[in-house]
Amino acid sequence: MTAPVLPAGDPASIERAAAVLRDGGLVAFPTETVYGLGACAFDARAVARVFEVKARPVFDPLIVHLHDAVELPRVVDAAEDPRVARLAARFWPGPLTLVLPRRPGVPDIVTAGLDTVGVRVPAHPAARALLHAAGPLAAPSANPFGYVSPTTAAHVAERLGGHVDLVLDGGPCTVGVESTIVSLAGDAAVLLRPGGVPLEELEAELGRPVALAERGSRPVAPGQLDRHYATRTPLRVLDGPAADAPPGGQRVGLLAFGPTSARGYAAVEVLAPDGRLATAAAQLFAALRRLDALPLDAIHAEPCPPEGLGLAIRDRLRRAAARG
Ligand code: TXA
Ligand code: MG
């Protein structure tokens, strides 16, 4: 059976989704970053099903989504940390996740047994309505583990429609890459994942540089596995703007950053016709999926500038290209 897909803007859909969640069910819902696969954060059995449905390793913790920062004391122990109030006031609701010391009541399965928990307040109106009715929700991106994240309800339904109880359709995600994850568990803020809030803006708000997590520094960022966001088709990140397609019989797809005059590709996706990083981020996952649906031997991706949202795009492409 495939899950019903309901319009997220209809209050009746939100009510039905909230009832499903309260009964221990799973609801896929839109956020401004990507679609999430939600379960009640305090219902360990429902959360366990999230891991099952995604085929996600249980050492990879989930983010807890809140309707409002005033709910923080329900899940974290951070009342004394002035950085939290500051970042919450500036970036919430929005694409920022804070990793903070957890409260004992948060189920172990949510945090993968860590003494910290990731929390965020999403901005999408449907997510907010759902969280108001049935939050807090533990929610990873609504894709099978390791595959490209979903930015439309159709992406969710295609891969997980048979395994979830309800899908809320709130249209395409406007940010298009996942939230920026910052750990405030220690004295120095550490960037665990670049995402929808640019690093420069975080540093400006905190008034100091944010350290970058060392690659492969598990268990600090247990989910930051190298091979992730992977397409079925092998993907390679080019060193610079694309030249003409390589000679030979291969069918190569091009993921161009901006308008391109490169020739000979079997298919071309232009992420940002306007050259803006925000446009490229919003298009990234849908474009990758379209290329991946074609009979191609390889996908070549142009790099984008390493600034602003470009950091998140480069991170996702690097992981998509990682082998093994
Ligand atoms: O934008 C987003 O963050 C989306 C939407 C649905 O909110 N969610 C999302 O969740 O991207 P997910 O599960 O696909 O990625 C969450 C990442 C994982 O890599 C996980 O390891 C990391 O957050 N994470 C969660 N809790 C953590 C913790 N306590 N310490 C370190 N990393 C944590
Ligand atoms: Mg994910």
Side-chain angles (χ1 to χ4, degrees):
M1 254 228 344
T2 327
V5 180
L6 303 181
D10 181 352
S13 310
I14 299 294
E15 240 169 73
R16 190 160 151 200
V20 166
L21 289 164
R22 283 193 292 263
D23 278 350
L26 305 189
V27 172
F29 63 98
T31 82
E32 71 280 19
T33 57
V34 300
Y35 275 70
L37 176 58
C40 279
F42 291 103
D43 182 342
R45 281 182 62 176
V47 175
R49 235 187 102 206
V50 170
F51 282 88
E52 222 171 80
V53 162
K54 274 190 65 110
R56 176 175 174 121
V58 288
F59 59 76
D60 191 1
L62 304 185
I63 295 170
V64 173
H65 296 65
L66 305 174
H67 173 253
D68 193 286
V70 300
E71 297 171 324
L72 276 173
R74 292 182 68 182
V75 282
V76 304
D77 238 329
E80 305 297 313
D81 190 338
R83 298 171 301 180
V84 176
R86 240 185 132 138
L87 293 180
R90 170 80 169 78
F91 297 110
W92 282 350
L96 177 68
T97 294
L98 300 178
V99 170
L100 295 164
R102 70 187 269 200
R103 295 287 301 239
V106 180
D108 275 335
I109 185 145
V110 172
T111 66
L114 297 176
D115 51 12
T116 56
V117 59
V119 284
R120 96 171 181 97
V121 177
H124 194 292
R128 302 208 74 211
L130 188 63
L131 288 165
H132 185 66
L137 299 178
S141 49
N143 53 297
F145 183 73
Y147 192 63
V148 181
S149 299
T151 52
T152 66
H155 292 163
V156 178
E158 195 185 304
R159 298 272 169 155
L160 295 184
H163 305 279
V164 305
D165 300 303
L166 188 70
V167 178
L168 290 174
D169 185 351
C173 301
T174 52
V175 175
V177 289
E178 295 87 344
S179 59
T180 300
I181 306 181
V182 183
S183 172
L184 297 178
D187 287 339
V190 178
L191 181 77
L192 299 183
R193 175 176 76 183
V197 168
L199 178 62
E200 298 89 329
E201 288 184 26
L202 267 177
E203 293 184 325
E205 190 59 36
L206 288 169
R208 52 172 55 207
V210 171
L212 305 189
E214 276 171 49
R215 283 229 319 252
S217 62
R218 287 177 277 282
V220 180
Q224 303 300 303
L225 304 178
D226 260 358
R227 179 138 175 83
H228 220 100
Y229 307 100
T231 45
R232 214 174 24 87
T233 317
L235 181 141
R236 183 156 82 82
V237 183
L238 301 169
D239 294 328
D244 290 347
Q250 290 227 320
R251 287 174 54 86
V252 180
L254 176 65
L255 187 70
F257 175 68
T260 176
S261 50
R263 284 173 310 178
Y265 291 92
V268 178
E269 287 280 348
V270 176
L271 287 181
D274 59 5
R276 293 183 57 228
L277 285 163
T279 310
Q283 295 303 322
L284 177 66
F285 291 144
L288 274 176
R289 280 168 183 263
R290 283 193 294 270
L291 287 175
D292 205 24
L294 301 174
L296 298 173
D297 299 306
I299 299 170
H300 288 182
E302 284 185 336
C304 67
E307 64 201 24
L309 290 174
L311 232 54
I313 299 172
R314 291 168 73 94
D315 170 79
R316 304 309 186 266
L317 288 175
R318 180 179 64 73
R319 287 181 209 281
R323 292 279 115 194

